[in-house]
């Protein structure tokens, strides 16, 4: 079992309330906080097999690029390959995705912030990892993708927004959270 810098087994962190709240917040921001979130590919396409990351690329016409983002935390192929190897993960299950997200949180230096309930500092540190999370100035880390508002994310973190309300069709408009017209899966 992988250990974190402070010698805490990473699986133990799955039991931490603040960690769970942040994972929920990231899923909300990524538009995957619904029953199919762990099976979601960018562009709101779905897959069923969680024995491995499918690794398909989706061409997104609106930005003229392809993305391999999949799962509840929209892992890119390279990111998943590195973190899953580091943790010894053997599948793309819900638990494996959660553990990988915690490892990315740790790698970005935000784990202690989350454990100490320093929400805005944690979100700022995580904005380079998840483009849907804002920097401290409220803007997205990446110019081509709009970040969610800090106040809305705080409400999710605090449990003031429930999953029924956070269904991506009912949230504020952003290309991150609605199906992408013209998205297609590349088999390469």
């Amino acid at each position: 079992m992988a250990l974190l810098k402070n010698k805490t087994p990473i699986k133990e962190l799955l039991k931490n309330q603040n960690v769970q709240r942040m994972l929920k917040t990231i899923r909300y921001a990524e538009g995957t906080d619904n029953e199919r979130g762990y099976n979601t590919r960018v562009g709101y396409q779905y897959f069923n097999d969680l024995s491995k990351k499918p690794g398909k690329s989706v061409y997104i016409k609106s930005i003229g690029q392809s993305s391999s983002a999949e799962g509840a935390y929209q892992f890119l192929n390279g990111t998943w390959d590195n973190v899953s190897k580091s943790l010894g993960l053997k599948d793309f299950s819900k638990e494996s995705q959660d553990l990988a997200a915690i490892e990315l949180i740790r790698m970005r230096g935000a784990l202690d912030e989350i454990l100490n309930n320093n929400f805005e500092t944690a979100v700022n540190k995580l904005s380079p990892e998840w483009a849907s999370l804002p920097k401290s100035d409220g803007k997205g880390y990446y110019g081509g993708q709009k970040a969610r508002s800090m106040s809305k994310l705080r409400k999710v973190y605090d449990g003031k927004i429930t999953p029924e309300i956070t269904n991506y069709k009912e949230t504020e408009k952003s290309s991150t959270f609605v199906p992408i017209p013209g998205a297609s899966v590349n088999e390469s």
Side-chain angles (χ1 to χ4, degrees):
M1 182 182 308
L3 296 177
L4 298 176
K5 187 177 181 181
N6 66 4
K7 307 293 186 211
T8 303
I10 193 166
K11 281 190 175 187
E12 289 297 311
L13 290 168
L14 286 173
K15 300 174 187 173
N16 182 281
Q17 180 182 358
N18 287 352
V19 169
Q20 282 298 314
R21 291 165 59 197
M22 184 56 77
L23 292 176
K24 167 75 175 146
T25 301
I26 295 167
R27 291 191 308 268
Y28 169 82
E30 292 295 313
T32 58
D33 67 330
N34 56 56
E35 66 280 351
R36 296 193 70 187
Y38 289 87
N39 303 71
T40 302
R41 179 177 293 122
V42 67
Y44 291 98
Q45 298 175 7
Y46 301 99
F47 53 91
N48 294 317
D49 184 6
L50 293 178
S51 67
K52 63 181 175 126
K53 184 181 185 302
K56 305 285 186 206
S57 287
V58 175
Y59 181 75
I60 304 167
K61 188 176 181 178
S62 63
I63 61 171
Q65 294 182 34
S66 292
S67 174
S68 61
E70 294 171 320
Y73 307 98
Q74 294 293 280
F75 296 105
L76 299 175
N77 287 342
T79 302
W80 178 257
D81 291 346
N82 291 335
V83 76
S84 65
K85 182 179 179 182
S86 169
L87 296 175
L89 302 175
K90 304 296 184 201
D91 58 28
F92 201 55
S93 67
K94 177 180 176 180
E95 180 178 88
S96 290
Q97 289 184 48
D98 287 349
L99 292 171
I102 293 169
E103 177 65 2
L104 293 175
I105 289 167
R106 183 202 59 79
M107 291 169 63
R108 290 287 179 179
L111 183 58
D112 285 340
E113 303 298 345
I114 293 166
L115 294 174
N116 292 311
N117 207 27
N118 296 324
F119 175 76
E120 289 189 21
T121 303
V123 169
N124 184 54
K125 287 182 175 185
L126 295 173
S127 64
E129 194 67 48
W130 287 284
S132 57
L133 299 179
K135 300 180 297 182
S136 57
D137 65 4
K139 296 179 182 174
Y141 190 85
Y142 302 96
Q145 186 169 352
K146 183 180 177 190
R148 299 296 294 228
S149 73
M150 188 69 79
S151 63
K152 180 82 76 162
L153 295 175
R154 184 68 201 214
K155 288 177 183 176
V156 172
Y157 183 80
D158 289 341
K160 295 179 180 174
I161 296 180
T162 63
E164 294 81 5
I165 296 171
T166 61
N167 180 291
Y168 73 93
K169 292 180 181 176
E170 300 178 65
T171 58
E172 58 197 22
K173 291 181 180 180
S174 168
S175 62
T176 306
F177 310 106
V178 295
I180 300 171
S184 61
V185 177
N186 296 331
E187 296 299 325
S188 56

